[in-house]
Every structure is written in C-alpha cells, then in structure tokens.
Amino acid sequence: MRLILAPMEGVLDHTLRDILTRIGGYDRCVTEFVRVLDRPLPVRVFYRACPELLADGKTPAGTPVYLQLLGGDPPVMAANAHIAAQLGAPGIDLNFGCPSKTVNSSDGGSVLLREPERVYGIVRAVRLAVSPQIPVTTKIRLGFHDSSLFEDIALGIQAAGATELCVHARTRQQGYLPPAYWPEIGKVKPKLTLPVIANGEIWSTANARQAQAESGCTDLMLGRSALSFPDLAQAIKAQHAGEDYTPMPWAAVLPLVLQYAATLEGRAPKYAASFIKQWFTYLRRQYPEAETLFQHIKRLKLPTDIRQVLEGHSP
Ligand SMILES: Cc1cc2nc3c(=O)[nH]c(=O)nc-3n(C[C@H](O)[C@H](O)[C@H](O)COP(=O)(O)O)c2cc1C
C-alpha cells in the first residue's frame, strides 16, 4: 500500500514535509498549489512552493515531492508543467478540488468539475507537455454540486493519460463537513484501470481500514490527520502488515514542534507564532497535552515566548 501526504496550502510547507517524512510511512508528498493564471510563471514561484527542487525533488528523508498546479487554461497549464519538470519535479499533480471562492472565480480548482471535458483537456495538455517518465497525477472531489459527473470526470482523466487519480470523497458543496463518502469512490473505481487513491476524514487506523474497504482503494492520502497524528502513516502501514504499533507519545511529539518552531524562527519570524499555533490546533485533536499547552500559548505573539513555554513543558 502507498500513503501520500496531502497538499495543504498555508499549512503543509517544506518544513513540515521534512518533519513528517522523517517520521516515515509516506511514499510521496504533494506541494501546496501553485496558481496558474495566463502565463508561464517565473522559476522563483516553483522554488518557493517546492524548495525540494534544489535537492532532486525529494525531502531530506528521500520522499518525492510532486508539484501541484491549479488553473483552467490547458496551454498555460502545460507550459507551467513543462517548467516544473525542467526544474526537476519528480511528478506533476493537478488540482481540481480546491473549494476556495477566490480560486474558483479565477477558473481553477473544483469549479472545473462542472465541465468534465475541460478537466480532460487540461490533463491531456499537461500529459503531452512533459516526458512520459514524469507522472501526471490528479486530485479531484466527487463533484461540484453533486457526484453525478464523477464517473465521467474519472473516465476522462484516465483517457487523458493521467498516471493516478486521488479523490477527496466529498463534493465542493459538502466542503469539509464530515463524513467523507468513501463508498462513492467504490462505485466508480471498478470501471477504472488507473490507480485510485482515497482521501478525506482518515484520522485513525480504523478510519483507514474502513476507507479502504468502502472505496476499494488500497492507497490513501492523509491531510489534516498527518498534523494531528504525526506518525499515523507508520501506524496504518503497521496495521496493514499485521504488526503491533504503539503511537508516538506526546513526549516524542513535543521535540518535533520545538524543531518546527526553531526552523520557523529562522525562516519566517513574522509568521512563526501563528504557524506554531496552527499545528497545535491539529495536535489538540489527538493529544490532551497539546490542548493544555495551547491554552498557555494561544495569546503569545512572539515565537521566542512560545518556545520558552514549550521548552518549560519538555520532559
Ligand atoms: C488548510 C487546507 C489547505 C488545503 N490546500 C490544498 C491544496 O493546496 N491543494 C489540494 O489539492 N488540496 C488542498 N486541501 C485539501 C486536502 O489536500 C485534502 O483533500 C482534504 O483536507 C481532505 O483530506 P483530510 O480529511 O485527510 O484532511 C487543503 C485542505 C486544507 C484543510
């Protein structure tokens, strides 16, 4: 089985990709989306989204990072995919799932799911623009208003030559409201030959098992849960192999948060405090200790103050 670390704009940057892939269990990452409008983007935009391009397109742990593009114009998407591939991206991922109003109003993300032929056209153009050795993967939702076009979209993506299809098992309309409808993937998957990856609301090993059973997919993508349960990928792989696994205790997670805080202080001091708190908002879901600590840091503005509190609670 393969586990993929989801793209999460404004959350999962290369620092967190590094931390999470070092823990292990992930076979691939996908960058935050790079928004493509009407022209080829300067190379600095690609390096910003994917600093791993300077290191063979892999995290320091050796996990490949596919570069995600979001946009609605086939030739311009193709041109940008070509640049990303030239810069060494090990794969190109295409975003057809983003629900953001801003993104949708500029003709990208899930709004395209209303028009399966446009999705086909974008995938086809990108597929033809990069060497056949470079995977072109796609990420969709079940649909925009409802899932009535899901099968058409999936078959079109396959016909366009995509390497894989990842499905966030909800429509744009359903936003992020639980549950995720894994059985909807299960209805269409038997009609496809390309590998399909199930995504959405997989917070635990039990959820992973259920998502696999209901979607018919062995491969899964983990997003928010990768932040709340940093070794979930390891736990799922152990379950799959029939091995016992003891999840990381808080005492092992806190040093990772401190490492994250220290890196941010050096790299993005202005935003460091809010990014640290952001990770805590996810960790609170899994660790009561994170909830307690969050109460101590939530009003602090300086990363150094936050780090002092965290260090004070280190075992
Ligand atoms: C804050 C946030 C940012 C996201 N950014 C992206 C993105 O840049 N590209 C993308 O394809 N999906 C993005 N997603 C969707 C996730 O990749 C994933 O499909 C969704 O969160 C459902 O999976 P989960 O329940 O495992 O989190 C984002 C989700 C969240 C919560």
Side-chain angles (χ1 to χ4, degrees):
M1 77 171 309
R2 292 175 310 153
L3 293 176
I4 295 156
L5 183 59
M8 283 178 69
E9 202 252 335
V11 183
L12 256 168
D13 64 353
H14 72 291
T15 308
L16 276 174
R17 288 196 289 271
D18 177 16
I19 291 174
L20 295 172
T21 56
R22 271 177 212 265
I23 298 171
Y26 289 104
D27 297 275
R28 185 202 305 159
C29 308
V30 182
T31 65
E32 302 163 73
F33 67 77
V34 169
R35 190 138 147 229
V36 171
L37 293 170
D38 58 354
R39 67 197 67 187
L41 293 160
V43 293
R44 66 167 189 280
V45 176
F46 295 89
Y47 285 120
R48 200 190 307 136
C50 189
E52 293 94 338
L53 287 173
L54 294 166
D56 209 18
K58 293 183 180 141
T59 67
T63 313
V65 184
Y66 287 13
L67 194 136
Q68 187 180 72
L69 299 176
L70 179 153
D73 185 280
V76 188
M77 287 289 276
N80 282 286
H82 182 72
I83 299 171
Q86 294 293 105
L87 295 176
I92 308 292
D93 188 68
L94 302 176
N95 178 325
F96 299 109
C98 185
S100 148
K101 282 219 164 70
T102 329
V103 162
N104 283 201
S105 62
S106 64
D107 204 24
S110 60
V111 75
L112 297 168
L113 299 175
R114 297 184 300 190
E115 298 170 272
E117 64 290 350
R118 286 194 63 202
V119 173
Y120 169 87
I122 293 164
V123 178
R124 189 76 196 137
V126 169
R127 180 63 282 172
L128 293 173
V130 299
S131 129
Q133 284 89 51
I134 307 257
V136 173
T137 56
T138 51
K139 183 157 178 287
I140 65 172
R141 285 178 173 250
L142 294 173
F144 191 79
H145 296 298
D146 57 42
S147 55
S148 56
L149 295 175
F150 173 38
E151 184 176 329
D152 282 358
I153 294 162
L155 286 169
I157 284 174
Q158 175 169 290
T163 315
E164 284 173 12
L165 169 67
C166 173
V167 187
H168 176 185
R170 270 186 286 240
T171 62
R172 150 72 160 72
Q173 190 98 328
Q174 287 157 345
Y176 285 95
L177 200 70
Y181 298 90
W182 304 314
E184 292 291 312
I185 303 177
K187 285 186 210 159
V188 169
K189 186 171 180 291
K191 300 177 184 168
L192 301 167
T193 51
L194 89 173
V196 183
I197 297 149
N199 167 241
E201 299 295 326
I202 300 165
W203 297 96
S204 63
T205 52
N207 290 159
R209 204 187 338 231
Q210 192 184 344
Q212 285 173 320
E214 293 184 0
S215 68
C217 301
T218 313
D219 301 335
L220 304 173
M221 177 181 271
L222 308 176
R224 294 161 297 165
S225 57
L227 296 159
S228 62
F229 187 161
D231 59 337
L232 177 58
Q234 294 279 43
I236 293 173
K237 286 212 164 153
Q239 167 178 267
H240 194 73
E243 294 161 2
D244 288 335
Y245 186 81
T246 309
M248 278 166 77
W250 177 246
V253 176
L254 186 53
L256 301 176
V257 182
L258 278 165
Q259 182 196 332
Y260 180 56
T263 312
L264 287 175
E265 262 177 68
R267 254 181 219 158
K270 252 169 83 179
Y271 307 105
S274 56
F275 279 123
I276 301 163
K277 289 183 219 170
Q278 180 169 254
W279 194 4
F280 263 91
T281 61
Y282 289 103
L283 289 166
R284 287 157 77 192
R285 187 179 174 118
Q286 184 76 10
Y287 294 96
E289 298 92 332
E291 172 61 41
T292 312
L293 261 179
F294 183 71
Q295 298 309 323
H296 287 91
I297 64 163
K298 68 179 182 193
R299 286 193 187 81
L300 300 179
K301 299 225 159 44
L302 293 176
T304 39
D305 292 346
I306 296 182
R307 199 136 65 84
Q308 235 173 17
V309 173
L310 301 185
E311 278 165 355
H313 285 77
S314 272

